[in-house]
Amino acid sequence: MLTDLSPLIAATARWLTGAYPHSGGALASALCEAQARQAVTAAAWLRYPTELDAGLVTMAGPGGAGRLDWITGAEPADDHPAEEWAWRTWVDEVVASWAAALLTDPELAGLAVAALADGEHSADTTAEFRRLLAPDDGDRRAAALLRHPDLLAPVAGLHHDQLLDRLTPGRSLAA
């Protein structure tokens, strides 16, 4: 059973950076992408904390970007060839919502990364999630839209309660 979450993480981070683009330039693009990927990785690892959870979502599929596109006003994928939108089927709405919440709330991001220590995914959270947890001025400028609480509120609010439930101490890890 495939248990690699990288297609889901890549697609969801790509969706976030497309919906909330960088401020301009190659460096800003890279910094914005790094922050989105770190937030999405943390959210995906929280959402699918075990190998079994990851295997099930890779078998069943995460659901796609349809509702997220509707909420943010993105154009429908129907107008483009399949090669241009097929990646969107790997976007996970819950993971995107949780990542948006983490990007806009530093305290919540800290709780989420701390909770990863209890899961099966291994990471040096200090180094792996530095841009999410402690963005510098360059990170903030590059991802001004991606970290703007008002702009991300419609996406972050979709599954915010589930994220708070997941971060409540004493809950089991099963998704």
Side-chain angles (χ1 to χ4, degrees), residues 53-107:
D53 294 320
L56 290 172
V57 75
T58 56
M59 255 179 45
R67 184 172 175 210
L68 294 168
D69 288 341
W70 181 77
I71 288 169
T72 59
E75 62 182 90
D78 305 348
D79 300 341
H80 303 288
E83 303 84 42
E84 292 179 21
W85 60 263
W87 64 269
R88 299 166 79 78
T89 63
W90 277 97
V91 173
D92 186 303
E93 177 184 305
V94 175
V95 171
S97 176
W98 288 11
L102 299 180
L103 285 162
T104 59
D105 186 339
E107 185 178 329

Side-chain angles (χ1 to χ4, degrees), residues 4-172:
D4 182 15
L5 291 172
S6 59
L8 181 149
I9 291 168
T12 306
R14 181 175 174 183
W15 184 87
L16 276 170
T17 57
Y20 305 97
H22 60 86
S23 62
L27 179 59
S29 175
L31 291 173
C32 188
E33 169 70 23
Q35 292 173 74
R37 189 169 290 267
Q38 287 180 15
V40 169
T41 298
W45 288 359
L46 285 170
R47 175 82 171 141
Y48 307 108
T50 68
E51 247 186 74
L52 180 60
D53 294 320
L56 290 172
V57 75
T58 56
M59 255 179 45
R67 184 172 175 210
L68 294 168
D69 288 341
W70 181 77
I71 288 169
T72 59
E75 62 182 90
D78 305 348
D79 300 341
H80 303 288
E83 303 84 42
E84 292 179 21
W85 60 263
W87 64 269
R88 299 166 79 78
T89 63
W90 277 97
V91 173
D92 186 303
E93 177 184 305
V94 175
V95 171
S97 176
W98 288 11
L102 299 180
L103 285 162
T104 59
D105 186 339
E107 185 178 329
L108 195 59
L111 290 171
V113 171
L116 293 176
D118 298 334
E120 290 181 13
H121 303 283
S122 61
D124 173 7
T125 56
T126 305
E128 182 130 6
F129 298 103
R130 185 196 70 75
R131 293 198 188 280
L132 173 62
L133 297 175
D136 62 23
D137 290 338
D139 292 323
R140 285 188 191 90
R141 277 192 305 276
L145 297 178
L146 185 66
R147 288 186 169 271
H148 195 288
D150 293 336
L151 295 176
L152 267 78
V155 174
L158 285 174
H159 301 282
H160 193 262
D161 291 341
Q162 290 176 353
L163 176 59
L164 294 178
D165 286 345
R166 171 62 183 89
L167 295 175
T168 301
R171 288 188 38 89
S172 72

